[in-house]
Amino acid sequence: MKRPENTCADAQRGTRMAKANHIAGLKFKYHYLVALPIVLLLIVAIYIKATENKQWTLAVEAQATNNNSSSECNLFRGKWVLDNQSYPLYKERKCLFLADEFACEKYGRKDLKYQNWRWQPHQCDLPRFNATSLLNRLRGKRLVFVGDSLNRNQWDSLVCLVESSIPSSSKSRQFIGNLFTFKAIEYNVSIDFYWSPLLVESNSDHPLNHSLPDRIVRVQAIEKHARHWTDADIIIFNTYLWWLRPKMKVLWGSFESPDGIYKEIDMLRSYEMALKTWSDWLEINVNRSRTQLYFVSMSPAHLRGDEWGTSANQNCYKETEQIFQKGKGYWESETNQKMMRVVESAIEELKSRGLEVQMLNITQLSEYRKDAHPSIYRKQRVAITEDQLLNPTSYADCAHWCLPGVPDAWNEILYAYIIQYSNIHRN
């Protein structure tokens, strides 16, 4: 006779299995719910980072291929945004190495709004400047600014941007001849400035005694200067201010030789000749696999008030607001765009020879900032006369920039390029 099934026992076993499955399901749901926010945060972080990297790839590629591109992000096209929460990026009085020529607050300037403007490109955001990140990327390297006092202005800015994150025992600064050196000892990083206002050799090459009435330039001689930056990993060049005269006296031969030939040449032509010497030197001497090259475009001076709605004899003195310009942007008449085209042509020629130089086109973004010059608020190299005191516009400095200020934005853009370069060569 067939034995009947134990339906009661089976039912009990089924109930126990159902409870176990229910508990397991609850545990899974609990762990899932706990883990889900973490996973989502990781996904968001990865997405943001990927977007940021993609954004900067697009930004740099757009600038490298077409300075006038409006369809993609261009770091040099944008607007100044008032940001008194995040800016300035450092305090003037806390920067131990700031030159008195750029320390406007120290020398009596009361309106400090010029420190609170952030440069905002139209279609992307500049990465937030991070001194530690920059120093890590520069670890064991040498960065050199080469050029005139505007490049010195930018060098001071970069030193102020990084030095507050370095202990006092691990940083130093020294001046030896034309070479100004800041060292971040722990990182084995050197951030230098080399005074060479015309890039090639001239009679204005002395770091202090260079204001001579009769300017002479050797357009075919650069090695005297270039040997001081041959080993640099990053070089940022500029030269404009000291060329701004109708003609230049050009010397063939040496300053020491009585047989030298002197000739007055149109400034633009002599400028072309000097940049040809510069570019030939780069082509022969630069380590293409290691050295990053940059050229900073013309820094504008605000000398004619009638161009922004005041009187013709007014300059940047007492100016406390930027120039708000609709449409394509503001260009002042003093900005020599022909010189800028000479530089662009030299850079294009180098590119055709397989050497990349990135143009840091800071001219237009700086044009708006008539409010940000030292004006009378700086250390004066020579005594101010009584007549000048009665007319402060006569000795106002409208060429250089207060710090913190506009050159910090130049360095934020430079920082973006260094990040991009590091990411490409790290992968």
Side-chain angles (χ1 to χ4, degrees):
M1 182 175 175
K2 190 175 180 181
R3 189 174 179 181
E5 295 179 359
N6 191 349
T7 55
C8 183
D10 288 345
Q12 290 175 348
R13 280 196 299 271
T15 300
R16 287 196 298 270
M17 289 178 65
K19 287 182 178 179
N21 288 336
H22 179 67
I23 292 170
L26 289 175
K27 287 182 178 179
F28 174 77
K29 289 179 181 178
Y30 171 76
H31 290 301
Y32 174 79
L33 290 171
V34 170
L36 182 60
I38 299 173
V39 172
L40 288 173
L41 285 173
L42 287 172
I43 291 171
V44 170
I46 292 167
Y47 173 78
I48 290 172
K49 187 66 177 176
T51 304
E52 182 184 79
N53 288 340
K54 181 180 179 183
Q55 179 188 55
W56 280 107
T57 301
L58 289 172
V60 175
E61 285 178 356
Q63 175 57 22
T65 56
N66 184 0
N67 281 346
N68 297 317
S69 171
S70 59
S71 61
E72 292 183 339
C73 175
N74 184 321
L75 305 185
F76 308 105
R77 292 185 179 275
K79 62 181 179 180
W80 291 96
V81 177
L82 191 62
D83 183 351
N84 53 19
Q85 299 298 314
S86 304
Y87 286 73
L89 296 172
Y90 55 89
K91 298 295 185 182
E92 178 196 296
R93 294 181 182 275
K94 291 188 177 180
C95 181
L96 302 178
F97 303 121
L98 179 58
D100 283 345
E101 287 83 356
F102 316 130
C104 303
E105 184 180 359
K106 177 180 177 180
Y107 282 87
R109 183 161 180 175
K110 302 300 182 186
D111 61 294
L112 303 180
K113 185 178 176 181
Y114 68 89
Q115 299 181 359
N116 300 126
W117 292 98
R118 169 173 55 83
W119 177 247
Q120 176 64 60
H122 284 316
Q123 294 176 307
C124 62
D125 295 324
L126 280 168
R128 176 74 176 177
F129 187 92
N130 186 307
T132 303
S133 175
L134 177 63
L135 290 168
N136 276 318
R137 290 169 192 268
L138 295 179
R139 189 180 292 274
K141 291 182 170 60
R142 183 181 180 220
L143 180 153
V144 186
F145 291 92
V146 176
D148 59 29
S149 54
L150 272 309
N151 246 17
R152 164 72 194 274
N153 210 166
Q154 189 173 355
W155 174 73
D156 269 51
S157 162
L158 189 59
V159 169
C160 287
L161 283 164
V162 302
E163 68 95 16
S164 62
S165 66
I166 306 170
S168 57
S169 60
S170 297
K171 57 191 173 188
S172 67
R173 185 184 66 168
Q174 62 179 1
F175 302 154
I176 301 177
N178 291 40
L179 184 64
F180 302 9
T181 298
F182 171 82
K183 286 191 178 294
I185 298 165
E186 180 182 343
Y187 296 89
N188 190 25
V189 168
S190 181
I191 300 175
D192 300 346
F193 165 71
Y194 184 85
W195 170 259
S196 180
L198 295 105
L199 292 187
V200 292
E201 197 173 330
S202 76
N203 67 339
S204 299
D205 289 340
H206 193 281
L208 297 176
N209 303 319
H210 44 245
S211 297
L212 306 173
D214 192 19
R215 193 165 299 162
I216 304 170
V217 60
R218 294 182 65 202
V219 293
Q220 296 180 321
I222 198 171
E223 186 59 38
K224 177 182 175 181
H225 298 315
R227 61 191 176 88
H228 293 281
W229 18 276
T230 303
D231 66 337
D233 300 276
I234 301 173
I235 313 176
I236 302 102
F237 297 98
N238 91 320
T239 183
Y240 284 107
L241 202 59
W242 290 68
W243 294 90
L244 295 178
R245 49 183 61 195
K247 291 184 178 292
M248 295 290 289
K249 182 177 282 189
V250 176
L251 166 62
W252 282 268
S254 69
F255 287 106
E256 294 77 19
S257 172
D259 301 323
I261 299 172
Y262 295 84
K263 188 176 180 180
E264 291 270 342
I265 297 180
D266 176 77
M267 179 276 290
L268 208 59
R269 177 61 186 136
S270 59
Y271 189 61
E272 289 176 335
M273 295 165 72
L275 287 181
K276 176 68 165 59
T277 299
W278 167 79
S279 58
D280 286 346
W281 183 90
L282 289 178
E283 184 182 14
I284 295 168
N285 293 280
V286 162
N287 184 334
R288 301 176 188 221
S289 64
R290 189 192 78 175
T291 308
Q292 299 174 55
L293 301 170
Y294 299 89
F295 199 106
V296 183
S297 68
M298 175 178 282
S299 173
H302 292 90
L303 304 175
R304 294 176 54 92
D306 57 334
E307 294 190 355
W308 58 80
T310 59
S311 63
N313 59 359
Q314 178 66 29
N315 55 22
C316 71
Y317 175 63
K318 282 192 172 181
E319 292 294 339
T320 59
E321 294 289 346
Q322 65 167 294
I323 296 170
F324 295 96
Q325 186 80 8
K326 296 180 180 179
K328 292 185 177 180
Y330 169 75
W331 289 94
E332 63 171 358
S333 60
E334 300 292 329
T335 300
N336 193 320
Q337 296 187 53
K338 290 182 179 179
M339 293 179 72
M340 292 175 65
R341 285 193 285 273
V342 169
V343 175
E344 290 167 359
S345 177
I347 289 174
E348 283 299 314
E349 175 64 24
L350 279 170
K351 186 176 182 179
S352 71
R353 292 186 256 168
L355 191 62
E356 292 284 343
V357 179
Q358 175 61 51
M359 183 80 150
L360 296 181
N361 195 353
I362 55 84
T363 308
Q364 178 95 85
L365 68 91
S366 306
E367 290 274 17
Y368 302 110
R369 297 301 307 280
K370 62 181 171 62
D371 61 307
H373 297 287
S375 181
I376 64 172
Y377 304 107
R378 65 191 294 269
K379 181 179 181 179
Q380 303 295 335
R381 290 183 174 272
V382 296
I384 304 301
T385 66
E386 289 186 13
D387 288 343
Q388 286 177 317
L389 288 173
L390 293 172
N391 180 22
T393 57
S394 64
Y395 67 96
D397 178 358
C398 298
H400 301 96
W401 304 91
C402 297
L403 292 178
V406 170
D408 302 330
W410 306 350
N411 281 321
E412 287 181 278
I413 293 171
L414 175 64
Y415 173 68
Y417 276 101
I418 292 173
I419 288 174
Q420 175 73 8
Y421 183 91
S422 299
N423 289 341
I424 290 171
H425 288 265
R426 184 180 295 171
N427 295 333

